[in-house]
Amino acid sequence: MMAYWIAVLSVFALSCQVGCDDNAYDNHTLIRLFPHDTKQLEAIIHFKEPTGQIEVLKTSRGLNDSLDVLVPQSQLDLVQDFAKENKLTLEVKQNNYGRSFAFPERQPRRRVLHGFNIYGYNSFGAIREYIEMTARRHPDLVTLQDVGQSYQGRRMKLVKISSNPSAGNPIIFIDAGIHAREWVAPAMALYLIHRLTNDPEARTKDLNGVDWYILPVVNPDGYEYTRTGRSNRLWRKTRSKNSNCYGVDGNRNYGFKWAVSGVSSNPCDKETYAGPKPFSEPETQMVRNIMMQNAKRLKLYVSIHSYGQYLVYPWGYTGDFLPKEWKKLDSLARSVSDAVQRAGGLPFKVLSAGKWYPAAGGSDDFAFGAVGVPYSYTMELTDGYEFIFPEHLLKKVLPQFYEGFTVLGSQIRDEFGVN
């Protein structure tokens, strides 16, 4: 029967290779399926990632961890039967899911000049204006590096924050927003820039002996596409043209163990298409170039994502074995989680990415395995709201997460500081 379900789901996947953008999700139900033993977990794992009528939002990472799927009314019976056949716990979290999509009010571009909402979901244009304004206000701390253009021609700039650029300090490189729908990730990156440049304590402590390089939105084309309407809100990939479909999963496109696991070779797959070749996307090329240009000083890389409240480390391409340095990676991640908890936040679930689910071509594996960055992580922010994290909660959670980044900074300073 398992083969039957795989075949059925594959049909679903093929049914919407072209024209998937017409789906507004208004008639979709968010369903969570929970496995409680290894046989049920295997069934969950073989629930193939469809690209059409049924959409996977989150894969189960283990026992009692849910598989989250968006299901149109026409397919509810099939999912319910799948759960019943495999004795999975089924939870209907929300009906009419698309109606919960809220969008920030459109503001004139001049708004940035009169005050920027650091606790909001801002357009890429406003984000770019904000970082340019920050560089003008803090020329002693901030420099901007033009790193190129996205596929659709959006100019991207790396924010370099340092209290002593000539010291040769170790570098922490943080990027966000490679997955377009994960709005909380760029918001976190911007909050880091804000705190590091405006908080006197942060300027004294967190910039002491460490340089921070931050790329707030790696996938600006996809990010802006998700802001154009509810039908596009859950778009994940870039916006390059491939065959008759659009986009590549940027976090499957890096040239380390590319496409060996957890990817799709179908350009119309809405989730995990790895691209026609490694680094096919200008956006991933930019991140690669930043890493390679700063390889000698780069000691920590963090790619910010959402959701699920996970902090994972290499290897991502396999769950069969760990790097020999895994205990150091694990220990630091747990210290970060403890700091976020002390600040009132939820703990992170800490493990290797491949133990979570194998997926090759990720930026964290590339940083660790190809560039030689000693500490490399993917940080999944927030839980309980999927990709639609409420904007009004940013003021609460962003400062909590910031405390985790201070722990990262302290570790890099203590281990690699030049003084």
Side-chain angles (χ1 to χ4, degrees), residues 107-109 111-112 116 121-133 190 224 227:
Q107 298 287 346
R109 290 175 64 85
R111 180 190 68 164
V112 176
F116 182 84
Y121 293 131
N122 299 282
S123 70
F124 179 73
I127 290 169
R128 187 170 56 194
E129 288 185 30
Y130 173 75
I131 63 176
E132 290 171 350
M133 179 182 64
L190 286 174
E224 283 301 300
R227 294 172 56 86

Side-chain angles (χ1 to χ4, degrees), residues 20 29 72 109 120 168-169 200 208 296 309 328 409 411:
C20 293
T29 299
R109 290 175 64 85
N169 290 325
N208 178 28
K296 290 184 179 180
Q309 204 82 5
K328 289 180 61 176
Q411 176 66 33

Side-chain angles (χ1 to χ4, degrees), residues 61 65 308-312 334 337 347-351 383:
R61 279 75 172 179
D65 187 48
Q309 204 82 5
Y310 281 83
L311 187 52
V312 300
R334 294 185 188 281
S337 179
F348 284 106
K349 305 175 189 75
V350 176
L351 70 163
D383 196 10

Side-chain angles (χ1 to χ4, degrees), residues 188-218:
M188 183 71 241
L190 286 174
Y191 184 75
L192 284 169
I193 295 170
H194 167 75
R195 284 290 294 270
L196 291 169
T197 56
N198 290 284
D199 181 346
E201 182 179 355
R203 291 179 60 159
T204 302
K205 183 182 70 171
D206 299 325
L207 291 181
N208 178 28
V210 178
D211 293 351
W212 298 74
Y213 288 10
I214 302 174
L215 190 61
V217 188
V218 178

Side-chain angles (χ1 to χ4, degrees), residues 33-335:
L33 300 172
F34 293 86
H36 303 295
D37 60 36
T38 54
K39 184 177 181 180
Q40 293 173 344
L41 180 59
E42 184 179 357
I44 287 284
I45 291 172
H46 284 91
F47 191 101
K48 292 297 183 181
E49 210 172 47
T51 59
Q53 296 184 56
I54 299 176
E55 187 164 341
V56 174
L57 295 189
K58 183 176 81 68
T59 304
S60 174
R61 279 75 172 179
L63 299 182
N64 303 311
D65 187 48
S66 65
L67 168 72
D68 298 356
V69 289
L70 275 179
V71 187
Q73 290 181 347
S74 61
Q75 310 303 337
L76 284 174
D77 288 345
L78 289 169
V79 174
Q80 290 168 348
D81 290 345
F82 176 78
K84 186 179 299 183
E85 177 184 347
N86 293 283
K87 299 180 180 178
L88 302 165
T89 298
L90 184 150
E91 173 190 303
V92 175
K93 186 171 182 185
Q94 186 172 342
N95 294 306
N96 302 316
Y97 189 73
R99 298 180 188 178
S100 68
F101 297 178
F103 284 82
E105 293 183 9
R106 295 283 180 181
Q107 298 287 346
R109 290 175 64 85
R110 66 179 182 274
R111 180 190 68 164
V112 176
L113 302 177
H114 301 287
F116 182 84
N117 181 14
I118 200 64
Y119 299 109
Y121 293 131
N122 299 282
S123 70
F124 179 73
I127 290 169
R128 187 170 56 194
E129 288 185 30
Y130 173 75
I131 63 176
E132 290 171 350
M133 179 182 64
T134 299
R136 291 193 298 269
R137 286 182 173 178
H138 304 285
D140 56 326
L141 294 178
V142 180
T143 56
L144 301 181
Q145 178 186 341
D146 191 322
V147 292
Q149 292 184 336
S150 68
Y151 179 83
Q152 293 181 342
R154 292 179 171 88
R155 182 63 61 182
M156 297 167 66
K157 296 185 178 181
L158 176 69
V159 182
K160 297 181 176 181
I161 307 174
S162 174
S163 60
N164 188 359
S166 64
N169 290 325
I171 293 171
I172 294 172
F173 175 35
I174 295 164
D175 71 29
I178 184 60
H179 289 151
R181 61 195 178 190
E182 300 172 8
W183 289 4
V184 71
M188 183 71 241
L190 286 174
Y191 184 75
L192 284 169
I193 295 170
H194 167 75
R195 284 290 294 270
L196 291 169
T197 56
N198 290 284
D199 181 346
E201 182 179 355
R203 291 179 60 159
T204 302
K205 183 182 70 171
D206 299 325
L207 291 181
N208 178 28
V210 178
D211 293 351
W212 298 74
Y213 288 10
I214 302 174
L215 190 61
V217 188
V218 178
N219 178 13
D221 299 345
Y223 179 72
E224 283 301 300
Y225 184 68
T226 64
R227 294 172 56 86
T228 59
R230 290 191 301 168
S231 62
N232 304 324
R233 177 62 183 86
L234 296 182
W235 183 259
R236 168 183 168 103
K237 300 188 293 180
T238 63
R239 293 296 295 166
S240 56
K241 187 72 179 292
N242 296 284
S243 183
N244 292 321
C245 296
Y246 289 88
V248 166
D249 180 351
N251 209 37
R252 303 292 189 275
N253 191 237
Y254 286 80
F256 181 82
K257 304 293 184 180
W258 179 76
V260 302
S261 63
V263 304
S264 171
S265 60
N266 176 9
C268 299
D269 188 303
K270 290 173 66 177
E271 299 293 319
T272 60
Y273 174 52
K277 62 182 179 179
F279 296 116
S280 62
E281 308 306 284
E283 296 84 1
T284 58
Q285 293 171 26
M286 290 179 216
V287 175
R288 175 199 62 191
N289 293 344
I290 293 168
M291 290 186 189
M292 299 303 292
Q293 290 164 8
N294 299 284
K296 290 184 179 180
R297 292 169 52 203
L298 182 55
K299 303 303 179 184
L300 169 68
Y301 169 69
V302 181
S303 185
I304 307 176
H305 292 250
S306 72
Y307 62 99
Q309 204 82 5
Y310 281 83
L311 187 52
V312 300
Y313 49 84
W315 299 115
Y317 76 92
T318 180
D320 294 339
F321 57 89
L322 298 169
K324 63 181 181 180
E325 305 89 349
W326 77 269
K327 289 184 178 179
K328 289 180 61 176
L329 293 163
D330 190 272
S331 177
L332 179 54
R334 294 185 188 281
S335 296

